[in-house]
């Protein structure tokens, strides 16, 4: 069976492979500690099992001299003595070659008494790896990711300056210290020495990264030689996953569409993810500088929003300060002047620039015996609410009618004016009810007179109708009777 070409794998297949590699060994039972670790001469005492990787097992261990804890890694050689022993030696050499606060530090190392395994004691980081953070939250807030990028770039840049390439950058190999927030790159087990002889490099070229997806695409080409820009690809791949909770495989959306981050980061990360290494940044320092500049630059959408906001302010100031267009129209709605709410007035007022105005005043009464009677106090105000003029309407009204269930109303036109200087300032008009000057008795008398007048009109109309009907009937000739037929 021919193995599949990794370059032809789909995004879902790569994601599956990544998940399998990430969780390998998690479900298995912890290994037993070697007997020789119990020897008082051995400087460390295992406390708890942490996990397993591609080449060994890691425990949290205390130092017998009481100086705290270490990460104690055991690398058995039995399954592949030559390759695994070389990997252990290479990792010791890589860790001993450089000291940096963002790279895990080597404290001690040695072989087992029987020579069948090797061990490394490394700096213990009290915290968690970013893979666990991703598993718990599905993505890390952009502010946190932006804060850790400079540390990752500094640590890996120091590694590159020392002539080493990490080759296995991924969330599970990035540790964050709980108290200080310090970020540390761990697991240099397959680091590559760029300056060593081909036959004596820190990691042999056939040693490939353990996790598909994070490795650069050029790794699968013939005669591939690891370079620092390969680490740049893996770091960009990792940052994308930290920000979005997804891996940038296949056709992936823009970064700022998937998470709340500055728009400019998308172009920077995509450049570092270029399939052709020549199209990436020359080194990690250039990537880190471009990343920080993009993170500090406001998104283009912010500029657009700012411009739109400024235009809105200018338009608002224009409409507030400019003279209001004429004619201005104001409507009162229902004004209940008297105690009977079945009677009301409605005013539709049109104001001209010279102060003259034309008002349509409709008076309405739903009471069959009492009509509307009253006036309205009109208060003209400017935009700040200050009174610029006020006046009282003339008296308008409608009398009662003896027509139960029918409304009766009246429409009047009223022309008047306010001072010409006040007209441009008017922004609103208050229509306030003014009580009637007539008493209820006077209004009742007026309404009774109106009712009597209506009754007289009804009687007169009925009499005229009867008379007209009589005249019409008198004009009809009498019916002629036919004589009986004879035989």
């Amino acid at each position: 069976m021919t193995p599949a070409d990794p370059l032809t794998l789909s995004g879902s297949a790569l994601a599956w492979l990544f998940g399998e590699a990430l969780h390998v060994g998690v479900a298995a039972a912890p290994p037993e500690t070697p007997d020789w670790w119990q020897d008082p001469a051995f400087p460390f005492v295992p406390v708890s099992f942490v996990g397993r990787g591609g080449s060994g097992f890691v425990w949290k261990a205390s130092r017998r001299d009481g100086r705290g804890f270490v990460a104690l890694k055991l690398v058995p050689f039995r399954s592949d003595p030559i390759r695994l022993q070389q990997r252990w030696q290479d990792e010791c050499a890589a860790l001993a070659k450089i000291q940096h606060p963002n790279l895990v530090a080597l404290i001690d190392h040695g072989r087992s008494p029987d020579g069948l395994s090797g061990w490394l004691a490394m700096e213990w980081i009290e915290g968690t790896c970013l893979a666990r953070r991703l598993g718990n939250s599905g993505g890390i807030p952009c502010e946190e990711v932006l804060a850790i990028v400079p540390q990752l770039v500094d640590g890996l840049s120091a590694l590159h300056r020392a002539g080493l390439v990490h080759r296995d950058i991924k969330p599970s190999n990035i540790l964050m210290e709980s108290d200080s927030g310090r970020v540390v790159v761990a697991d240099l087990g397959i680091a590559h020495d760029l300056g060593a002889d081909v036959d004596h490099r820190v990691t042999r070229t056939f040693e490939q990264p353990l996790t598909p997806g994070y490795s650069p695409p050029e790794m699968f080409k013939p005669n591939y030689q690891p370079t620092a820009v390969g680490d740049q690809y893996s770091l960009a791949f990792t940052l994308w996953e930290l920000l979005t909770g997804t891996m940038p495989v296949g056709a992936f959306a823009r970064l700022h569409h998937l998470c709340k981050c500055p728009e400019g980061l998308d172009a920077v990360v995509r450049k570092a993810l270029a399939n052709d290494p020549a199209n990436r940044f020359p080194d990690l320092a250039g990537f880190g500088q471009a990343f920080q500049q993009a993170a500090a630059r406001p998104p283009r959408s912010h500029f657009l929003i700012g411009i739109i906001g400024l235009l809105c302010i200018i338009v608002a100031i224009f409409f507030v300060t400019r003279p209001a267009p004429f004619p201005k129209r104001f409507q009162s709605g229902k004004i209940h002047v008297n105690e009977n709410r079945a009677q009301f007035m409605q005013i539709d007022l049109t104001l001209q620039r010279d102060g003259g105005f034309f008002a349509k005043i409709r008076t309405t009464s739903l009471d069959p015996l009492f009509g509307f009677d009253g006036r309205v106090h009109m208060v003209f105000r400017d935009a700040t609410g200050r009174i610029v003029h006020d006046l009282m309407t003339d008296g308008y009204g409608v009398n009662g009618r003896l027509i139960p269930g029918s409304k009766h109303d009246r429409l009047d036109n009223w022309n008047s004016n306010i001072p010409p200087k006040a007209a441009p300032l008017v922004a609103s008009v208050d229509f306030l009810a003014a009580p009637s000057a007539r008493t209820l008795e006077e209004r009742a008398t007026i309404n009774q007179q109106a009712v009597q007048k209506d009754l007289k009109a009804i009687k007169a109309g009925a009499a005229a109708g009867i008379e007209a009907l009589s005249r019409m009937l008198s004009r009809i000739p009498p019916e002629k009777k036919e004589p009986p037929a004879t035989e």
Side-chain angles (χ1 to χ4, degrees):
M1 181 176 179
T2 304
D5 182 0
L7 291 175
T8 64
L9 293 177
S10 65
S12 59
L14 285 173
W16 179 82
L17 286 172
F18 162 68
E20 290 298 310
L22 185 63
H23 295 95
V24 64
V26 171
E32 294 183 0
T33 57
D35 293 338
W36 48 274
W37 278 8
Q38 311 303 322
D39 189 333
F42 188 68
F44 308 102
V45 178
V47 175
S48 61
F49 180 68
V50 176
R52 67 191 73 208
S55 62
F57 310 93
V58 179
W59 282 263
K60 179 180 181 181
S62 62
R63 302 175 65 149
R64 291 188 187 272
D65 58 9
R67 295 170 57 188
F69 297 96
V70 297
L72 185 60
K73 183 175 182 179
L74 177 67
V75 182
F77 303 150
R78 291 180 182 275
S79 61
D80 193 344
I82 297 177
R83 186 175 68 88
L84 292 177
Q85 185 170 188
Q86 184 64 54
R87 175 177 285 186
W88 170 75
Q89 292 175 346
D90 293 346
E91 185 170 8
C92 293
L95 290 170
K97 191 172 183 179
I98 184 172
Q99 295 290 323
H100 191 277
N102 299 118
L103 296 173
V104 67
L106 177 67
I107 296 174
D108 197 359
H109 67 284
R111 291 176 180 268
S112 63
D114 57 10
L116 296 179
S117 59
W119 57 270
L120 302 90
M122 296 168 289
E123 175 187 13
W124 174 256
I125 306 299
E126 191 65 50
T128 185
C129 69
L130 297 186
R132 186 168 299 174
R133 285 283 308 277
L134 275 176
N136 294 337
S137 61
I140 299 177
C142 181
E143 294 76 12
E144 291 189 40
V145 176
L146 297 183
I148 69 174
V149 168
Q151 299 185 61
L152 293 174
V153 170
D154 287 349
L156 292 173
S157 295
L159 193 71
H160 295 167
R161 287 193 298 270
L164 298 173
V165 179
H166 189 284
R167 302 182 65 213
D168 198 19
I169 302 168
K170 56 187 177 182
S172 59
N173 284 340
I174 301 174
L175 310 177
M176 179 176 285
E177 198 168 40
S178 301
D179 294 338
S180 64
R182 179 169 66 107
V183 177
V184 178
V185 179
D187 199 352
L188 274 67
I190 59 171
H192 181 85
D193 191 336
L194 297 174
D197 181 74
V198 174
D199 295 328
H200 299 283
R201 284 177 176 161
V202 174
T203 299
R204 302 298 182 262
T205 56
F206 59 80
E207 293 281 7
Q208 302 294 357
L210 303 178
T211 310
Y214 297 94
S215 53
E218 62 268 20
M219 185 195 75
F220 300 104
K221 294 181 179 180
N223 302 318
Y224 164 71
Q225 293 295 328
T227 62
V229 292
D231 276 357
Q232 181 184 143
Y233 179 96
S234 301
L235 177 60
F237 194 102
T238 298
L239 294 178
W240 188 289
E241 186 183 14
L242 295 179
L243 287 166
T244 68
T246 62
M247 295 194 298
V249 292
F252 44 92
R254 292 190 176 277
L255 185 61
H256 56 275
H257 292 169
L258 300 174
C259 66
K260 296 180 179 179
C261 71
E263 293 180 14
L265 291 182
D266 182 84
V268 176
V269 177
R270 284 178 185 268
K271 180 176 175 66
L273 288 172
N275 288 329
D276 186 351
N279 293 331
R280 300 173 196 156
F281 293 94
D283 52 33
L284 265 183
F287 167 76
Q289 183 179 5
F291 192 95
Q292 292 303 311
Q293 290 175 350
R297 187 182 304 125
R300 285 175 293 177
S301 59
H302 287 192
F303 289 114
L304 182 60
I305 293 173
I307 292 173
I308 293 175
L310 180 61
L311 290 176
C312 290
I313 293 173
I314 293 174
V315 171
I317 292 174
F318 171 76
F319 279 105
V320 169
T321 57
R322 72 170 185 142
F326 283 92
K328 302 177 183 179
R329 188 179 178 187
F330 306 95
Q331 294 178 310
S332 68
K334 292 183 179 180
I335 308 171
H336 298 277
V337 178
N338 298 314
E339 68 283 348
N340 189 342
R341 299 190 66 80
Q343 303 166 8
F344 53 88
M345 175 186 281
Q346 292 174 289
I347 300 178
D348 189 346
L349 185 148
T350 302
L351 177 65
Q352 302 296 335
R353 188 182 297 276
D354 61 0
F357 63 82
F358 171 78
K360 291 183 179 180
I361 301 179
R362 180 179 294 276
T363 52
T364 302
S365 177
L366 305 179
D367 192 317
L369 296 179
F370 272 82
F372 178 89
D373 183 58
R375 304 170 71 189
V376 173
H377 183 201
M378 297 193 302
V379 181
F380 296 82
R381 299 180 183 273
D382 63 13
T384 65
R386 184 175 62 89
I387 298 175
V388 297
H389 192 71
D390 69 320
L391 52 80
M392 192 80 68
T393 68
D394 293 341
Y396 292 98
V398 59
N399 292 325
R401 293 292 184 268
L402 189 59
I403 311 175
S406 298
K407 96 173 176 179
H408 37 284
D409 57 10
R410 171 178 171 172
L411 182 64
D412 293 281
N413 295 327
W414 180 41
N415 293 306
S416 187
N417 63 279
I418 64 174
K421 292 182 179 180
L425 303 176
V426 175
S428 63
V429 180
D430 295 339
F431 299 90
L432 308 175
S436 172
R438 297 187 179 93
T439 64
L440 288 176
E441 291 76 9
E442 290 173 335
R443 291 175 58 205
T445 300
I446 293 173
N447 280 291
Q448 288 295 335
Q449 291 173 354
V451 170
Q452 293 299 324
K453 183 178 179 180
D454 286 346
L455 288 175
K456 288 179 181 180
I458 292 172
K459 289 179 181 179
I466 293 173
E467 183 179 355
L469 179 61
S470 298
R471 285 199 301 270
M472 184 181 64
L473 293 175
S474 64
R475 294 192 185 98
I476 299 176
E479 183 182 354
K480 295 182 179 180
K481 296 183 178 181
E482 296 291 337
T486 58
E487 296 182 0

